[in-house]
Amino acid sequence: MKILAVDTTAAAASVALCEDGFLCGEYYVNIKQTHSQTIMPMAVSLLKSCGVEIKDIGLIAVSAGPGSFTGVRIGVAAAKGLALPFNIPCASVSSLEALATNLIGTNAVICSVMDARRNQFYNAIFENVGDKLNRLTPDRAIAFTELEKEISDIVLSGKRLILVGDGAKICYNNLNGRTNAEIAPFNLRFAHASSVAAVGAKLYNAGKTISAEELIPFYLRLPQAERELKRRKGFDV
């Protein structure tokens, strides 16, 4: 089965085409161009380069969040636009799980961290054993002080811990050498659509696909405009 995967949840944008566990091709740019201008041309160009038509795709996998509010919306909208004309099933993938999938084979605890601003990170923690990725926490928005304690406890238990994601360097610098946490190398640190495809394949095999109509963004937090509106109305956000 051919899987087309999309990720626009952070500064990088990528699309990948996989078939039966084989990566046919992947386009990746991390130059802070507007995702709305790049993602669809990238998808069309990748399919053309691989000699594949959209009607040949059996699954569209997309990082549905958390991440940049605008980026998440663009990725989900692109996936819906590609899937709807041919009723292609979709896989709604956690961007944090996709990041952790970059580090399969490390046999480490993997701490996925995305910069959520406002002194918070979008975070989830996983443990990799062989080719398995076991989730230790749900996807969440967490303050650095709370996350630092969890990281310290894991490292003190004797386990190797690797930070991955666009918040990895910020988190690592904030730790300031207080733990032996590692940071993923740059080629594995950021989101890749090929990892989104790998998670999408697992969801497909588990019967957890959805229709394009059911596909929605996963934010974790309210968008800034909604937060500001609630503040003006006196709500604590």
Side-chain angles (χ1 to χ4, degrees):
M1 179 184 67
K2 294 180 176 65
I3 300 175
L4 182 66
V6 176
D7 182 277
T8 57
T9 53
S14 60
V15 294
L17 178 67
C18 299
E19 183 172 12
D20 300 329
F22 178 78
L23 178 59
C24 303
E26 183 170 25
Y27 285 2
Y28 175 94
V29 293
N30 192 3
I31 53 176
K32 297 187 177 179
Q33 287 186 338
T34 304
H35 293 334
S36 60
Q37 296 175 330
T38 59
I39 199 66
M40 289 301 282
M42 286 168 64
V44 171
S45 180
L46 176 62
L47 290 172
K48 185 176 180 180
S49 295
C50 294
V52 173
E53 296 183 30
I54 188 64
K55 64 181 178 60
D56 301 322
I57 299 299
L59 177 72
I60 292 179
V62 59
S63 282
S68 154
F69 293 116
T70 302
V72 168
R73 286 196 297 271
I74 290 169
V76 168
K80 289 170 80 77
L82 290 163
L84 275 168
F86 297 97
N87 295 314
I88 302 169
C90 297
S92 176
V93 173
S94 159
S95 54
L96 297 167
E97 184 175 353
L99 281 167
T101 300
N102 289 0
L103 298 176
I104 290 284
T106 56
N107 290 315
V109 174
I110 302 165
C111 184
S112 295
V113 277
M114 300 178 73
D115 185 9
R117 311 286 177 89
R118 300 174 67 233
N119 299 312
Q120 285 189 324
F121 292 101
Y122 296 128
N123 166 256
I125 299 176
F126 305 82
E127 186 164 17
N128 168 227
V129 180
D131 63 351
K132 303 293 184 183
L133 192 66
N134 302 316
R135 181 181 281 274
L136 302 182
T137 73
D139 290 359
R140 59 203 177 159
I142 188 171
F144 172 72
T145 50
E146 297 175 64
L147 183 57
E148 181 182 21
K149 183 180 184 308
E150 292 189 21
I151 290 171
S152 298
D153 289 344
I154 291 167
V155 172
L156 284 172
S157 73
K159 294 181 178 180
R160 181 187 183 195
L161 184 139
I162 306 175
L163 300 162
V164 64
D166 71 350
K169 189 172 183 180
I170 301 169
C171 187
Y172 182 80
N173 290 341
N174 286 346
L175 288 168
N176 197 28
R178 289 191 293 274
T179 77
N180 289 325
E182 303 172 36
I183 187 168
F186 77 91
N187 57 311
L188 299 175
R189 192 179 307 159
F190 304 105
H192 287 268
S194 50
S195 291
V196 176
V199 179
K202 288 198 304 182
L203 292 171
Y204 179 89
N205 291 333
K208 295 181 179 179
T209 60
I210 57 177
S211 68
E213 290 88 348
E214 296 173 299
L215 185 62
I216 59 172
F218 175 58
Y219 291 130
L220 276 184
R221 285 193 336 204
L222 290 173
Q224 183 176 353
E226 291 186 40
R227 293 199 304 270
E228 293 300 327
L229 178 61
K230 285 183 176 292
R231 277 198 198 93
R232 288 199 295 270
K233 291 184 176 181
F235 293 101
D236 183 13
V237 292

